[in-house]
Amino acid sequence: MFSCDLQAVPLPLAYRRSFYPRVVKPAVGAAIAVVMLTLLAPLMVAIALLIKLDDGGPVFFRQKRTGYLGRRFGMFKFRTMVPDAEAMKERLRQLNQHGADAIDFKIKDDPRITRMGRFLRKTSLDELPNLFNVVIGDMALVGPRPTSFHPQEYRENHLPRLAVKPGITGLWQVSGRANIDFDARSALDIRYVRWQSLGTDVTLLLRTVRAVLKGNGAY
């Protein structure tokens, strides 16, 4: 029985701490991330130049996200929004497709997204710098997607998704992404946490390639 305490909220979860999630998954994930960063370096340099030429703003965006056991960390992405996007968020909250009061914030035609940003989001290339987080150890290749909002905003049924390191991809990403609200997203994440294995991770990585090519829910 895996358990922790987050702001006095119990987090019980039947979690198999087998050899794979404890040892194999982080080691193999970091090694794959290093190889991918090396192979994709020319593409990432080209993307960085295009972002800079598009509006002259910063290339990277480092945002605080909620990770393993609710710990906050800085996640790296290519910048896809205007520099003052966070300041504009409250003015646009009524357009949130999940509802103005929802903790998950998503707008289909978000006016804050730059011209280059729309292409990067549609192709998921904006997530490539997440590989640095995998190397550092804040993230895994596969796992629940880290949220921008604090763990204190989670409801108790959401908390078990924090029992593993967040990932670049997972069940949510291959099941509709932004088209799924946070309750359904958490249910998918918890299902993954309970049944994660090498076979599951390989399958999800392969399904991610197909999901990226389709572009479903990517905006």
Side-chain angles (χ1 to χ4, degrees):
M1 200 69 176
F2 178 91
S3 64
C4 77
D5 190 85
L6 182 67
Q7 295 293 88
V9 177
L11 176 58
L13 182 69
Y15 177 51
R16 299 176 300 167
R17 292 187 61 81
S18 63
F19 185 71
Y20 172 69
R22 285 190 299 106
V23 180
V24 177
K25 182 176 179 177
V28 172
I32 292 174
V34 169
V35 172
M36 291 181 69
L37 284 170
T38 302
L39 295 176
L40 296 172
L43 174 61
M44 294 178 72
V45 170
I47 291 172
L49 289 173
L50 289 172
I51 293 173
K52 181 61 69 172
L53 290 172
D54 189 30
D55 64 3
V59 169
F60 295 104
F61 176 61
R62 185 172 182 267
Q63 185 183 46
K64 283 292 184 181
R65 294 289 182 109
T66 297
Y68 180 58
L69 300 184
R71 297 167 188 159
R72 301 284 283 175
F73 70 96
M75 190 181 78
F76 298 101
K77 297 181 68 175
F78 281 121
R79 182 178 60 85
T80 60
M81 291 187 173
V82 295
D84 60 342
E86 287 298 307
M88 299 170 61
K89 192 171 182 178
E90 286 307 311
R91 296 206 315 264
L92 299 170
R93 185 163 292 280
Q94 71 277 7
L95 300 178
N96 186 3
Q97 69 175 60
H98 299 306
D101 297 327
I103 55 177
D104 214 9
F105 189 83
K106 210 71 175 178
I107 302 174
K108 188 165 186 178
D109 295 310
D110 197 323
R112 301 173 299 166
I113 300 177
T114 64
R115 180 177 53 182
M116 184 63 188
R118 294 194 185 282
F119 168 75
L120 293 176
R121 285 178 171 235
K122 191 67 177 177
T123 58
S124 295
L125 291 173
D126 60 317
E127 309 289 358
L128 288 181
N130 289 178
L131 292 168
F132 290 113
N133 291 108
V134 177
V135 174
I136 294 169
D138 292 326
M139 294 178 64
L141 290 178
V142 181
R145 192 67 183 161
T147 59
S148 58
F149 44 89
H150 287 261
Q152 289 86 349
E153 298 184 60
Y154 282 42
R155 291 202 296 268
E156 190 166 356
N157 62 302
H158 300 151
L159 291 175
R161 72 189 302 277
L162 301 176
V164 296
K165 286 184 179 180
I168 295 178
T169 190
L171 269 177
W172 172 61
Q173 283 85 342
V174 301
S175 303
R177 300 170 74 175
N179 295 327
I180 299 176
D181 67 20
F182 192 60
D183 284 332
R185 172 179 164 186
S186 293
L188 289 171
D189 291 334
I190 294 166
R191 186 194 308 173
Y192 168 77
V193 170
R194 292 184 184 280
W195 302 108
Q196 65 174 315
S197 66
L198 176 60
T200 299
D201 286 355
V202 171
T203 299
L204 288 174
L205 288 170
L206 293 175
R207 288 179 63 187
T208 298
V209 174
R210 185 172 61 182
V212 169
L213 292 176
K214 290 176 64 177
N216 184 32
Y219 49 83

